[in-house]
Every structure is written in structure tokens, then in C-alpha cells.
Amino acid sequence: MSVVNFVGARERCSSSKLLERFKGTLKKGELQGLFSQGELVAVKFEAGERDNLRYVRPLLVKAVVDVVYSLGGQPLLVDTLSMGSKASEVGRRWLEAVVLHGFDVTSLGKSPMLADGYTGEEEMLVQVDGEELGGVEIARAVAESQALVVISHVTAHPFAGLSGALVSCGVGCASLRGKERIHAPLRPLFMQDRCDGCGQCEKHCPHDAVRLKDDRPSLDDKRCKGCAYYCTAACPVGAVVIDGRMARRFQRRVVDSALAVTGALQGKVYYVNILMDVCPYPDCYPFSDVPFVSDRGILMSHDPVALDSATLNVLDESSGIRGSIAEESESLGSSDDKLLRITGVDPTSMIAYAKKLGMGSDSFEIRKA
Amino acid sequence: MAKEKVWFADANAANWVESLVAKAKDLFYEAKLNECIEKGDSVAIKIHFGEWNRTRCLRPELVAAIVEEVKACGGRPFVCDTTTLTYHPYSSRFIGNLALETAARHGFTEASMGCPVVVADGFSGDDDVRVEVPTGVLLKEAYVAAAIAHADAMINLAHAKGHPVASFGGCIKNIGIGGQSKRGKYHEHLAHWGSPEDFLGWPARHPEKCLGLDCPFHKLCEDSCPRGAYHIDEDGHHFDAEKCWLCYSCQITCMFTGHECMVFTPDYFPYAQIAMADAAKGVMLTFEEGKVGHMAYCIDVDPNCDCIPWATLPVVPDIGVFASKDPVAIDAAILDMIDAAPAYPGGANKALENVQGGYKQGQDKFAITQGTSPRYQLTAGVKNGLGKMEYEIVPYTPPYNEEHIAKWQIRPTPTTLIQREMWKKRDFVLEAAPYKRVPFEEKPSHEEFKAGDRKEYLKKLPVKEWADAVGKD
């Protein structure tokens, strides 16, 4: 039976500080045995898209780095590039974001690095026996490390349902090319009768995959990378949607990639899910709408299946917040399938597939710090 | 033939406008390097991060000075260097995380630079763009670090000093070596070129000179090879040429511990300079015409490079700052000025005292101290189209007036005026007056406090040369 540790968000006095309980739990047994003295330990965090306001607080990332140091490991603080910009721009945007968001050497004691290089091409192709993928490109610095801690900001995800341990590992640790491979099945659908020919979709696509012909958009399938974002976000009349039928394939690719990462790290992976600022969109979006449940705390485990299952349980048990997307999607109650109602995608199918591939167990015990 | 202009401002300073920082900023505009930058351009500012324990890197403010002007032009700068080969056993910049730690120790961080600090070829040094170099004399391709290749413009901001292999490192070297990814560096080291006995694509080896297990540094020596290309046992030194990719680590370890087994053949150095000039051309090919400016600070002119994990006494006193649009012309001008400059006492000059009485006026200082002319890289740079050697120095003296004094200060107007307003609000200095001192009329004469008899004091100095040198009165 897998163990999932829980550090609750409530802090009633200075002796119940979340940071102390978090560090204490990590130090007292969770991270021990993951790595030996002097080994390179990749600590994967997400800086968040530049204008996003709800990325993980730097103090929480620093807590993990400090614990790795104190246990004798050499932390390598890494993030990877997100899809959706010119080669010369992607790296640049990340550099601006890390500083603006407080993830730099002055605040963390360590400089964060891009694990996949300035243009997302520094990678290692790793074979995997998945149902969708036979191999995927993993960010180089992650692949070269001896152990990995994945810090995940838990949010809803439009195509996975849940952005938690599996997405942060599978997508977060893939290089930019690996991410394109994972997103490949996703495609926009243009509702031609809603379209007014404004051309914003063509203008915003960073991959030049949308062209207007006779005032109506058409897709160059070869150029489309499945980022599933720019065209749909740019449309002022809601005429571009992403084909939800592909969500299942996306979920399977996420898990295949996560399996590749754990294989490359020989299983030495630990997962930390931050259930704070739980918003409707993942951190790769340049905006993030208000949280839909109140801060619940931090869940952590060696088992990503158990962890994401536990995460879903906690989210579903929580009341949805009024005035948030929970209200609009009728998931205010404390036993609703919140993520399914908010995104239209069932996260449990992703978790079930991960269990099928042997990545973990959905039978677990929650231990409170 | 038209000469390339090289702007120059000297290192002396006696007032506000003459600070090297202020002069460097002035030169950026005098040499029209601002014209390389359009609003919104991503601008690589290529510097040398310096190796761990190096103590003559550029002071951070000398780099921040240029970052500020790139921003003022509307550019979006980032300060960068690349990963290195493991050319000594304690290489501190061969992977991205260590390179950033080293940069931070030398004071290069986002906070001090005011812009991101980037390892331009990624964590492993694999992040690069391959470029054909059709005019290359030796190299027909280059591997340019990705962040540099993808930048819209670049300021090549060099520290001019010597180098144990290139003889001299200025603007050509800063991009020729520093702009290459790891692959590019192995390529321009000429690794695996010719055959092992040529000693060009492989170290020059004299196994009969290896002290084997009796060498006090034999473990360091074995550890220093990142590819396990040799081992040392009772029978001496055993080398597997297939595995060697000429990172220089064994040579540096052997030579700098005073031994003679793994060394360089003198022929190697000219070829290394020529290859470096080809690689610099490769970097320039990733930018459009007119998008790169070159600057160099010729101060702390150590005989060896910032890549060396220590620093020694310079060969010449500080000379000044240079700027140009031509990377060959600027290096030619710097070398000529170094040769013309007086020798700095001690260090390399002292080592020459027994041989020829120290550096001679106008002598090629790096040719003597490093053993190879530093000018191969210039001629190769002319041959491959990198630039021209014929230069014209445009000496710059800043105007001395109120407006120019104000130009590069911390705030645009005198900060004393801010203090004036603060004293008006609350004068806490006045509040503590009068201060407790010996009454003015009772102050002792300062005659009693003059330093004691100097000649007696000098006789007690521990080093005879100091006493001889200073006790001349």
C-alpha cells in the first residue's frame, strides 16, 4: 500500500508553520534513500508564464532545495520551456519570468536553469513501452541527474483534467520537442459559422499553422504543434475550440512520457503536489483565473498514481468557491467530480492508465504531518 | 586602404567623467554600437564568467555599464558565457549549474547585471546551432551556442589578456572560443586531426619523461582525464589515443605541476589561433550585418586568461577601454598598445630579468611570455573575412562640463539636493551637537605624531629588496 503524506494548509500559530511541517516531512524519511551524498538531484519547478500570478511561491521551492542540500545531495534547480513562441523568444521569456517571479539565485541560493536549453532542444531521446509513445525527448539536465523531485502546482488542465504529478513529470520534464510529441494529437476546430473572419487566430499562431482562405481559417496540419492554446485564446467570438476527443490520447502520452522519465531516473523520483492557488488553468497559461477551492496544503509521495488519486479526493471533498469557475460549472458541492465538470475531461482515466502501466497503486494511506 | 576605426579611452581617471565606467558608456555611443540594436532586440552580451578562484575577472560594474546602455536603446540584454571543456581537474564551468555558481561568485547575477545571466549552450553544452564557414582557413563549420545564435544582436564584451594556448585573448577569442558550444570547442581544439604522432590533434606526449607512480601528482593526473584515455602504473604512462579528445586537462595538469610528459608541440599554437579565428567567423555568420559591436577592457592584463583558476601580476599597467565594429582591428590595436606600454614590475617582467633584463620597449610581450606570436589570429581573421588589421585609433577624452558629469551618475541630478531636503525635515546631526572633543585651545601639536625615524624602521623590514628600494632618501 502506498503512502501519501499530507501537510495541511491551516496555520494556527507560529509553531504550526506550513514551511516547517513541509521541510520536516521531507527530511524525516521521504527524501532519504532517494539519493546518495553528492549526487545530482534535479528539482523540477515551474516558473510560470510571465504574466501568470499564481505560480508556486518561491519559498516552497526553496524549502525543497534546502532539504536536498541538508541531506547531502546537490540540487539542480530546473524548469523547461513551454510551447508557443519563436525559437529566439521562448528562452528569453522564461528568463524574464524567473526573475519577475522571484526564482533567482538571490532568493533561492541557487540559479534555476532550463533543463532543455535555450530553445528547448537540449534533450535525450528515451525509449518507452507506452501505448501511444515508443520514445520521447526528455530534458537533458533531468536525464543527466541521479534523482528527481517534481514540484507540481495542482490546477485543472483542459486536456488532462488534472495537472498534478503525472502532468508535471510527463510534460514538465519533457524537452520542448518532447512536449510537441505529447501534444501532437490535439487540434483546433474552427466553427466556421461563428467566425467573423477577423484573422486573430492566424496572427497569434506561433507556428504559422493557421491561414485564412476566403476569410475563413484553415489549418496546416503539418505545422500545427497541438499547443492547444494560441488560436483558441485569440478568438474574440469563441469560434475556435480544441477537439476534446483527443484528450484521451493526450492523457496517455502524458503518462507514457512520465514513465519514460521515471525509467531514465531508474525510479528515483519523488513527487510533491502543491494544493494552493488551485486554479482552472495550468501555469503555462499567461493568465490564471481565481482558485476554485481554498488552499488545502501539500501532498507528497513516491507514488504518482497514489498521489494524483489522493489529490483528486481532496479536491472533490473540498467545497468549491463561490464566484469561481466551480460555481459556473456547478461543482460547488463537496462530492462533485470538480475537474471533470470544469474541464470536460475525466482525470481518472489518466490515473487508471498510469496504474495499468505499473507506475503506482491507487490503494494508499494518507499520513498527516 | 580604408582603416577600421577603433575608439580608445585610457584607464587614468582624475574626476567624475573619467571613471572607466563612464568612458566605456561614452565609447559605446562614440563607436555607434547603439546602432547595432533595434527596439525589442534580444541582445547577447558575451563576457567571460571567469574560472573559480580566478581573481582578475572584469569587475561586475564594467559589464553592468553596458547592460544599462543596451536597455537604454530598447534592447533586451542577457549576459552570457558558455560551458567549457574540462581543461583542468577542477573545472568549474563545464556544466551549466557549476558555470552559474561560478558566475555568481564572480558577481555576475541577475541582481548585479540587471538582466538574466545565461549559459548560452545549456546544461551539458550540447545546445548549439551548426554553421557552415565556407571561408574558414582550417575549420569549415562552427557550432555556435544556441542563445547566441538566436539573439538578434550581440555586444562582444571582452577582457583583453594573455592565454597559455592562444597567446592573447581579446575580442576574437571571446567569441571564437567563448561563443562556441562544447562541440565547437572540441572542434577548434583540432581534436582527432591528423594522427596521434603529429601532436596536433592529440597532446604532445613524452612518456619517457613521466615519473609514473613516483610523481607526487600522478593521481591528480589520472583523475584529470574526463575520458579515461590513459593510466599510470609501475610501467609508466599508457595512452589510448582513440579515447582522447584533446580537452588539454592532462597537459595543463602535467605542465603546471612542473612536469614534461604531456605537453604541447610549439606548432600547435599557431594552428589553434587560426582555428579560433575561423570559429569567430562562424559566430559572426549567425548575425546580420551591423548587428554586432565589439568592446574590450584592457585592464588587469594578466599573462594568462580568465579561464585559469588563479591570477598573477599583469604584464603591463592598465591601458583602458576599446570599442569597434571590427573584431580584428580592435584586437590589433590592443596588441600594439600592449607592446608599446611599459612593463609592469614583478611577475612576467621579473621572470625575464635574468634572460634579457625584463621586457624591452615595444617588444611583443605575449610572444616572449607565451612563446608564440599572438598575431596569427589576426592574419587568419583577415584571410577568412572576419575583419581587417589596418586600424586607426580614435582617442576619446570625455568633455568636462556639468552636463557630462551628470550623465552617468546614480541619479540624473545632484543627490545632495535630496539630502538638503532631508536635513530640513530633521537634522539629526545638528541635534547631537556640540560633539565631545578635547577643547580646541587644548589640542596637542601634531608634531609629536610624525612617523618615527624612517631609516631605523626600514632597517627592520623583513625583505632586503624593499628596504633597498624605498630607503633611498
Side-chain angles (χ1 to χ4, degrees):
Chain A
M1 163 156 312
S2 293
V3 170
V4 176
N5 278 271
F6 176 53
V7 170
R10 295 294 308 263
E11 297 175 304
R12 291 161 208 274
C13 61
S14 64
S15 43
S16 69
K17 282 193 281 205
L18 183 148
L19 270 181
E20 314 249 327
R21 285 179 283 129
F22 179 37
K23 281 194 187 179
T25 311
L26 286 175
K27 244 187 130 154
K28 254 182 291 207
E30 288 306 283
L31 286 191
Q32 256 149 20
L34 195 69
F35 49 87
S36 315
Q37 183 79 19
E39 282 192 329
L40 210 55
V41 182
V43 176
K44 164 72 181 69
F45 78 107
E46 193 167 1
E49 196 57 23
R50 208 190 76 160
D51 294 336
N52 187 304
L53 289 168
R54 297 194 188 266
Y55 45 87
V56 171
R57 276 175 180 63
L59 270 180
L60 292 173
V61 174
K62 183 178 195 312
V64 176
V65 170
D66 287 350
V67 171
V68 170
Y69 262 130
S70 70
L71 292 175
Q74 267 209 76
L76 186 66
L77 189 56
V78 291
D79 190 7
T80 53
L81 292 173
S82 336
M83 299 167 65
S85 217
K86 282 197 322 235
S88 61
E89 273 306 299
V90 181
R92 196 81 192 77
R93 278 210 334 249
W94 183 84
L95 291 168
E96 284 166 13
V98 281
V99 172
L100 285 171
H101 295 181
F103 295 106
D104 71 356
V105 65
T106 322
S107 52
L108 300 175
K110 216 151 180 50
S111 281
M113 288 201 67
L114 277 173
D116 55 342
Y118 196 73
T119 50
E121 290 175 337
E122 202 189 0
E123 62 203 6
M124 199 178 283
L125 183 59
V126 174
Q127 278 189 314
V128 67
D129 204 7
E131 281 179 22
E132 285 271 338
L133 300 181
V136 64
E137 295 88 344
I138 303 300
R140 192 58 163 279
V142 170
E144 302 265 16
S145 298
Q146 279 85 57
L148 169 66
V149 179
V150 180
I151 303 175
S152 179
H153 174 207
V154 171
T155 65
H157 191 291
F159 306 105
L162 166 71
S163 182
L166 289 168
V167 168
S168 294
C169 179
V171 184
C173 295
S175 70
L176 193 55
R177 262 209 279 256
K179 288 187 178 79
E180 287 170 6
R181 200 181 285 282
I182 297 167
H183 284 71
L186 298 172
R187 284 292 179 273
L189 285 175
F190 300 105
M191 328 260 269
Q192 306 288 359
D193 31 333
R194 265 197 220 173
C195 171
D196 64 6
C198 73
Q200 288 299 302
C201 51
E202 181 186 56
K203 189 172 158 207
H204 282 88
C205 173
H207 307 109
D208 282 330
V210 182
R211 291 286 157 82
L212 284 195
K213 284 185 184 128
D214 299 323
D215 269 359
R216 287 290 178 273
S218 76
L219 188 70
D220 181 343
D221 196 79
K222 286 211 169 63
R223 286 177 186 256
C224 177
K225 305 276 187 203
C227 74
Y229 179 69
Y230 286 86
C231 53
T232 177
C235 178
V237 299
V240 185
V241 298
I242 303 297
D243 191 344
R245 293 171 297 177
M246 294 296 117
R248 282 286 172 102
R249 292 193 61 198
F250 176 76
Q251 287 181 326
R252 284 197 288 268
R253 287 184 182 221
V254 167
V255 173
D256 287 348
S257 181
L259 183 62
V261 172
T262 58
L265 272 293
Q266 293 170 321
K268 305 252 184 194
V269 187
Y270 190 74
Y271 305 85
V272 175
N273 278 8
I274 313 273
L275 283 78
M276 293 167 62
D277 286 316
V278 185
C279 323
Y281 303 106
D283 291 347
C284 52
Y285 274 55
F287 67 92
S288 51
D289 202 12
V290 297
F292 55 87
V293 294
S294 61
D295 288 352
R296 295 309 308 271
I298 304 178
L299 287 162
M300 340 166 219
S301 178
H302 289 277
D303 179 338
V305 174
L307 180 57
D308 276 357
S309 303
T311 299
L312 280 183
N313 290 354
V314 170
L315 291 179
D316 286 341
E317 275 164 20
S318 310
S319 313
I321 296 181
R322 289 204 170 278
S324 80
I325 205 166
E327 183 163 13
E328 285 137 32
S329 59
E330 291 171 20
S331 50
L332 287 175
S334 55
S335 58
D336 296 326
D337 300 331
K338 288 191 179 54
L339 297 181
L340 173 56
R341 285 170 189 246
I342 289 168
T343 65
V345 176
D346 183 2
T348 61
S349 54
M350 180 172 68
I351 298 171
Y353 177 64
K355 177 185 167 184
K356 182 177 172 195
L357 292 192
M359 287 193 73
S361 165
D362 57 5
S363 127
F364 55 87
E365 163 208 342
I366 298 202
R367 283 194 200 150
K368 288 205 173 120
Chain B
M1 158 167 301
K3 294 183 180 179
E4 295 299 319
K5 291 200 160 101
V6 177
W7 281 260
F8 167 68
D10 85 337
N12 281 293
N15 58 55
W16 297 265
V17 303
E18 291 183 357
S19 163
L20 197 61
V21 165
K23 284 179 188 168
K25 284 172 181 272
D26 283 343
L27 240 53
F28 178 83
Y29 294 101
E30 292 291 312
K32 296 197 174 21
L33 299 195
N34 54 315
E35 290 177 1
C36 300
I37 297 161
E38 277 161 48
K39 195 164 171 0
D41 271 355
S42 173
V43 184
I45 300 183
K46 167 65 183 62
I47 66 164
H48 199 309
F49 283 166
E51 190 71 354
W52 194 263
N53 290 345
R54 171 72 173 176
T55 51
R56 284 197 194 271
C57 302
L58 287 185
R59 283 171 181 66
E61 61 267 35
L62 295 177
V63 178
I66 303 306
V67 171
E68 287 157 10
E69 296 324 303
V70 169
K71 281 183 181 174
C73 296
R76 296 173 311 142
F78 61 94
V79 165
C80 65
D81 195 0
T82 48
T83 64
T84 65
L85 308 189
T86 43
Y87 55 84
H88 76 99
Y90 286 95
S91 176
S92 76
R93 288 177 298 142
F94 78 100
I95 41 176
N97 60 326
L98 294 184
L100 288 174
E101 260 176 65
T102 307
R105 198 181 204 224
H106 287 302
F108 299 115
T109 65
E110 287 83 353
S112 58
M113 295 294 98
C115 72
V117 175
V118 172
V119 182
D121 58 342
F123 171 74
S124 59
D126 190 15
D127 198 19
D128 59 19
V129 168
R130 195 189 79 86
V131 173
E132 294 270 320
V133 186
T135 58
V137 176
L138 293 181
L139 307 184
K140 292 303 192 183
E141 64 180 4
Y143 291 85
V144 182
I148 292 173
H150 287 285
D152 300 312
M154 174 170 70
I155 302 296
N156 176 8
L157 186 57
H159 172 206
K161 63 254 176 269
H163 190 279
V165 175
S167 185
F168 167 75
C171 288
I172 296 175
K173 180 168 187 299
N174 198 37
I175 54 173
I177 306 282
Q180 298 295 297
S181 67
K182 242 208 211 23
R183 258 194 283 265
K185 292 187 177 85
Y186 277 112
H187 172 48
E188 65 188 328
H189 275 207
L190 306 172
H192 269 242
W193 200 45
S195 75
E197 289 67 46
D198 296 320
F199 290 165
L200 290 181
W202 280 268
R205 284 162 295 109
H206 305 289
E208 71 284 359
K209 296 198 176 168
C210 176
L211 302 184
L213 298 174
D214 292 331
C215 179
F217 297 98
H218 76 265
K219 178 160 196 311
L220 184 68
C221 171
E222 270 193 347
D223 284 348
S224 82
C225 180
R227 290 171 180 274
Y230 59 87
H231 67 275
I232 294 164
D233 60 23
E234 320 74 55
D235 300 320
H237 194 275
H238 306 275
F239 184 78
D240 181 354
E242 249 328 282
K243 290 189 180 160
C244 169
W245 276 82
L246 199 55
C247 66
Y248 299 165
S249 188
C250 58
Q251 295 150 294
I252 298 294
T253 307
C254 190
M255 290 159 62
F256 282 91
T257 55
H259 300 94
E260 302 174 292
C261 170
M262 309 295 277
V263 294
F264 292 87
T265 178
D267 258 357
Y268 178 79
F269 304 119
Y271 285 123
Q273 285 190 45
I274 296 168
M276 177 173 84
D278 286 344
K281 178 67 181 165
V283 173
M284 292 299 291
L285 287 173
T286 65
F287 291 93
E288 283 169 25
E289 187 75 34
K291 296 299 279 180
V292 180
H294 308 273
M295 289 186 72
Y297 290 103
C298 189
I299 63 173
D300 284 321
V301 190
D302 193 303
N304 280 321
C305 182
D306 291 344
C307 65
I308 296 294
W310 62 81
T312 189
L313 298 179
V315 296
V316 290
D318 289 351
I319 290 178
V321 58
F322 295 76
S324 180
K325 296 253 175 105
D326 186 316
V328 178
I330 194 175
D331 278 2
I334 292 170
L335 278 169
D336 286 350
M337 280 221 187
I338 289 174
D339 290 344
Y344 188 98
N349 183 57
K350 193 172 165 65
L352 284 175
E353 263 165 24
N354 292 333
V355 176
Q356 56 171 57
Y359 287 121
K360 301 217 176 301
Q361 176 65 30
Q363 198 170 37
D364 185 335
K365 296 186 170 66
F366 292 122
I368 301 263
T369 294
Q370 294 295 357
T372 307
S373 163
R375 289 177 171 80
Y376 288 99
Q377 54 196 277
L378 304 182
T379 329
V382 172
K383 189 101 195 275
N384 68 23
L386 180 63
K388 302 206 183 81
M389 264 172 74
E390 286 74 33
Y391 63 85
E392 171 201 333
I393 291 270
V394 182
Y396 175 75
T397 311
Y400 197 28
N401 55 48
E402 286 185 12
E403 192 193 334
H404 207 76
I405 289 177
K407 197 159 192 204
W408 302 127
Q409 299 304 324
I410 192 169
R411 289 291 183 275
T413 49
T415 51
T416 37
L417 299 174
I418 303 175
Q419 179 71 285
R420 207 183 270 182
E421 291 309 304
M422 290 171 72
W423 289 142
K424 282 183 193 157
K425 267 211 183 121
R426 186 182 155 200
D427 194 333
F428 56 81
V429 172
L430 193 61
E431 281 167 23
Y435 287 82
K436 191 170 184 178
R437 301 182 195 120
V438 163
F440 189 77
E441 305 71 32
E442 292 166 36
K443 69 185 182 300
S445 160
H446 56 67
E447 284 299 304
E448 311 166 23
F449 296 92
K450 201 161 59 173
D453 183 338
R454 206 155 161 257
K455 285 206 165 67
E456 283 307 311
Y457 159 72
L458 288 173
K459 283 180 201 159
K460 295 176 208 156
L461 281 177
V463 179
K464 182 179 179 296
E465 287 89 356
W466 298 350
D468 289 347
V470 304
K472 297 288 182 219
D473 52 24

